[in-house]
Amino acid sequence: MPIKTGAEYVQSLRGRNMKVYLFGELVKEPVDHPMIRPSINAVAETYDLAVSEAELASAKSSISGLQVNRFLHIAESAEDLVNQNKMQRKLGQLTGTCFQRCVGMDALNSLYSVTYEIDEKHKTNYHKRLVDFIRMIQEENLVIGGAMTDPKGDRSKAPHEQEDPDVFLRIVEKNDKGIVVRGAKAHQTGCINSHWIIFMPTMRLQENDVDYAVVGAVPADAPGITYIYGRQSCDTRSMEEGDIDAGNSKFAGQEALIIFDNVFVPWERVFMNGEYEFASMLVERFTCYHRRSYVCKTGLGDVLIGAAAAISDYNGVPNVSHIRDKLVEMTHLNETIYAAGVASSYQAQKTKSGNFLNDDMLANVCKHNVTRFPYEIGRLAQDVAGGLVVTLPSEKDLRSPETGPILRKYLRGRKGVDVEDRMRILRLIENMTLGRNAVGYLTESMHGAGSPQAQRIQIARQMQLEYKKQLAKNLANVKDDTPSSPEQSDYFQRVFKISRKG
Ligand SMILES: Cc1cc2nc3c(=O)[nH]c(=O)nc-3n(C[C@H](O)[C@H](O)[C@H](O)COP(=O)(O)OP(=O)(O)OC[C@H]3O[C@@H](n4cnc5c(N)ncnc54)[C@H](O)[C@@H]3O)c2cc1C
């Protein structure tokens, strides 16, 4: 029976043979761990939304013929991509965190076209294998983790130049049944909450890196896989009594370091095996999808704007002009992110394989805005909230018969506002700007899908300076045929040469 609801999804994660380390110890059952559970709850929302708002969060797939969760759907039109964005914003609003499924969705969509083009050149059959895999996960309604980022060691060196060859994931053995891979993937969102992990190269590769040009899918509990859980700021608050200090007690994101210690992958789950010249195409198409997937952060922005508006109301200054102006500024920044992302989706083009790929320039502009604007929105939220956002006493103090009445007397805002409600909103702002969900709202916004410079490189590549110079010269009546200054073309050559994801 395929998984349908969030509750069924949570159940599906139980009893697996996962090797997960947290605080130096093996976790018996991740589902029941109070620090891990909020991240599972966030993924569960992606199932429940597909039931409660089927039009938004599911789609009819030509691959399986089924109505499938939108996170497993291969985009068959520009509208499909726009609907992804609408769903992402909605899930950001519902959870206030990273709901962890965009990487898998974007990996499937980029691999769909790239495997087709590898087959076209090398007469391989990766595309059919991938389509069979997609049909299976659609039928069973599973969660896919997308593992691209390697630990990378010395950033100035290619994979084959590294002192330790394992700092990039690679093939260490091939036989008639499949391949064996070794290495690791860092910062892996939602990996422990996934049923399958797809691993992919993280950057452009050369001939010497042929063993690193590998894509495959493995069950998340495959033998040889170990997870070391990533700490998040204030994460142990989820293990305390009460639900105020956690800020958002129900939902959180998840990242872990995945170690692949000689993991076997059967041939039917291998989607690239040495075609190193396609690594850059895969990274570029994946990041093209993924950089506009960051409109999810506008859903989180909506929550934070709401929290800022609520706290200014509780503080008795909702209509003061500079407060209103700050709320307008936050909204403007938030909608600017959304505008670029959704425009990128609307401008999608059909690939050779038949699926749709959004506009790369606008996707990069979207993501580049995401590396900045949430920080400014967070700064304004802290401005509006006041210093209590970081000096607030604990929930235990509120509940204590000695200190509780004192806090209720001195932490009141405007008349009629419950002190506890005021504390809850302040904790939510702390959670999103300094605490657990600042991982998803701020630092993931910075580095996820590539650090800011990676977007600047893509923007530089596509900014068509020669064409734009010609436009200016036409209007100014300049009739010169002088070539570009050597410094300018030199600069761009250097920029293109280091083009890579992270
Ligand atoms: C919260 C979070 C979730 C994530 N989720 C996922 C996920 O699910 N799947 C996944 O695959 N990845 C994921 N990532 C990884 C993300 O893609 C990387 O963080 C990003 O690509 C940057 O890599 P890095 O963190 O190793 O930083 P680094 O590569 O160390 O970058 C640090 C700085 O050095 C610069 N730099 C690095 N190399 C060079 C170079 N050769 N030349 C010039 N400058 C350089 C960068 O521009 C940056 O400014 C996630 C990251 C975060 C923070």
Side-chain angles (χ1 to χ4, degrees):
M1 278 288 279
I3 301 166
K4 201 157 186 239
T5 63
E8 288 170 15
Y9 157 71
V10 175
Q11 196 54 30
S12 77
L13 298 181
R14 289 190 181 280
R16 295 189 297 167
N17 192 22
M18 305 280 281
K19 207 170 158 194
V20 180
Y21 281 97
L22 174 56
F23 298 134
E25 288 176 7
L26 271 176
V27 177
K28 248 197 203 140
E29 176 51 84
V31 175
D32 295 326
H33 197 290
M35 221 175 91
I36 300 178
R37 186 55 182 265
S39 72
I40 296 174
N41 293 340
V43 180
E45 286 294 296
T46 68
Y47 281 89
D48 285 335
L49 191 69
V51 175
S52 63
E53 293 194 39
E55 209 170 303
L56 178 67
S58 72
K60 181 83 187 282
S61 168
S62 302
I63 293 177
S64 59
L66 299 171
Q67 189 74 18
V68 300
N69 190 296
R70 198 174 282 289
F71 285 103
L72 301 176
H73 183 52
I74 299 301
E76 297 179 13
S77 63
E79 205 188 343
D80 270 344
L81 291 165
V82 172
N83 284 334
Q84 286 180 357
N85 288 150
K86 290 181 179 169
M87 169 184 72
Q88 287 161 328
R89 185 164 187 169
K90 178 77 183 193
L91 283 164
Q93 291 173 345
L94 292 175
T95 61
T97 189
C98 170
F99 37 86
Q100 308 149 49
R101 292 197 65 181
C102 304
V103 195
M105 175 177 77
D106 297 335
L108 291 171
N109 271 280
S110 47
L111 279 169
Y112 190 84
S113 64
V114 173
T115 51
Y116 183 93
E117 290 181 42
I118 302 177
D119 287 354
E120 200 178 49
K121 180 173 173 202
H122 291 282
K123 309 290 171 242
T124 40
N125 66 341
Y126 299 129
H127 189 69
K128 180 182 176 306
R129 287 179 190 171
L130 181 78
V131 170
D132 289 346
F133 176 70
I134 294 172
R135 188 177 302 109
M136 181 275 287
I137 57 173
Q138 287 183 344
E139 285 168 357
E140 295 187 22
N141 197 14
L142 303 177
V143 173
I144 307 302
M148 183 167 263
T149 310
D150 297 271
K152 294 186 293 195
D154 182 337
R155 269 69 176 153
S156 68
K157 290 188 161 62
H160 72 274
E161 296 168 335
Q162 298 287 335
E163 196 179 358
D164 182 341
D166 293 346
V167 292
F168 285 82
L169 185 106
R170 70 196 164 116
I171 302 173
V172 289
E173 196 188 316
K174 291 183 194 179
N175 56 44
D176 55 344
K177 293 202 172 66
I179 60 172
V180 175
V181 295
R182 184 156 72 219
K185 292 286 177 182
H187 324 288
Q188 293 308 304
T189 295
C191 50
I192 296 156
N193 303 339
S194 301
H195 299 103
W196 284 79
I197 306 286
I198 295 183
F199 55 84
M200 306 164 277
T202 197
M203 58 192 275
R204 175 186 300 270
L205 298 173
Q206 304 152 0
E207 204 172 344
N208 290 337
D209 299 317
V210 67
D211 291 339
Y212 297 89
V214 58
V215 177
V218 284
D221 61 352
I225 293 189
T226 301
Y227 300 86
I228 306 178
Y229 209 87
R231 287 218 69 174
Q232 297 176 325
S233 168
C234 307
D235 51 10
T236 47
R237 290 194 191 180
S238 304
M239 296 162 78
E240 296 173 5
E241 265 174 47
D243 69 339
I244 297 181
D245 290 349
N248 177 350
S249 61
K250 192 163 177 206
F251 299 117
Q254 173 191 94
E255 281 79 33
L257 176 69
I258 315 182
I259 319 299
F260 293 75
D261 183 12
N262 294 334
V263 174
F264 172 71
V265 192
W267 284 118
E268 68 265 25
R269 301 286 185 240
V270 176
F271 311 126
M272 181 191 282
N273 166 32
E275 294 81 7
Y276 64 90
E277 76 277 24
F278 282 92
S280 57
M281 180 191 281
L282 178 59
V283 172
E284 277 165 27
R285 290 196 186 168
F286 170 78
T287 52
C288 180
Y289 285 118
H290 206 40
R291 287 178 187 166
R292 55 91 241 193
S293 277
Y294 271 77
V295 298
C296 64
K297 303 304 177 206
T298 61
L300 279 71
D302 291 330
V303 173
L304 194 54
I305 292 165
I311 200 65
S312 64
D313 179 23
Y314 290 174
N315 289 348
V317 287
N319 296 319
V320 168
S321 67
H322 81 95
I323 299 281
R324 285 206 73 78
D325 192 50
K326 280 165 185 157
L327 294 171
V328 169
E329 176 66 8
M330 292 164 85
T331 304
H332 166 71
L333 293 170
N334 205 39
E335 299 301 336
T336 302
I337 294 170
Y338 191 69
V342 87
S344 169
S345 294
Y346 270 116
Q347 304 245 39
Q349 302 278 338
K350 203 173 188 170
T351 68
K352 279 187 184 176
S353 66
N355 75 341
F356 276 70
L357 178 64
N358 51 286
D359 182 85
D360 193 49
M361 171 63 103
L362 292 176
N364 277 283
V365 169
C366 171
K367 175 68 215 313
H368 207 52
N369 287 340
V370 173
T371 66
R372 298 170 170 178
F373 296 173
Y375 286 87
E376 181 60 10
I377 295 170
R379 189 184 76 81
L380 290 166
Q382 289 189 0
D383 174 347
V384 170
L388 263 185
V389 83
V390 292
T391 63
L392 194 63
S394 69
E395 179 172 355
K396 271 194 176 159
D397 290 308
L398 182 72
R399 307 279 178 235
S400 148
E402 285 83 44
T403 49
I406 303 171
L407 294 183
R408 288 191 182 278
K409 173 178 166 67
Y410 287 108
L411 296 188
R412 58 193 299 178
R414 76 164 164 75
K415 191 170 174 214
V417 173
D418 187 335
V419 165
E420 183 173 323
D421 290 345
R422 189 162 177 247
M423 286 176 72
R424 286 182 182 277
I425 292 291
L426 286 164
R427 284 287 181 225
L428 178 63
I429 295 172
E430 181 197 33
N431 170 272
M432 297 185 78
T433 61
L434 297 160
R436 260 199 111 161
N437 287 323
V439 173
Y441 190 51
L442 299 181
T443 318
E444 187 183 355
S445 294
M446 174 76 82
H447 288 293
S451 314
Q453 185 61 12
Q455 291 107 59
R456 296 187 84 83
I457 289 168
Q458 284 300 94
I459 291 169
R461 272 180 151 187
Q462 299 173 59
M463 66 182 174
Q464 298 182 292
L465 272 197
E466 288 310 315
Y467 168 66
K468 288 173 185 171
K469 275 157 75 177
Q470 206 48 55
L471 293 176
K473 287 178 183 178
N474 285 349
L475 287 182
N477 250 338
V478 174
K479 305 248 177 311
D480 80 68
D481 295 326
T482 332
S484 292
S485 73
E487 291 81 25
Q488 202 166 44
S489 33
D490 250 25
Y491 170 75
F492 288 110
Q493 266 172 17
R494 270 188 291 115
V495 164
F496 296 162
K497 231 168 136 188
I498 61 160
S499 170
R500 52 189 292 172
K501 185 173 72 71

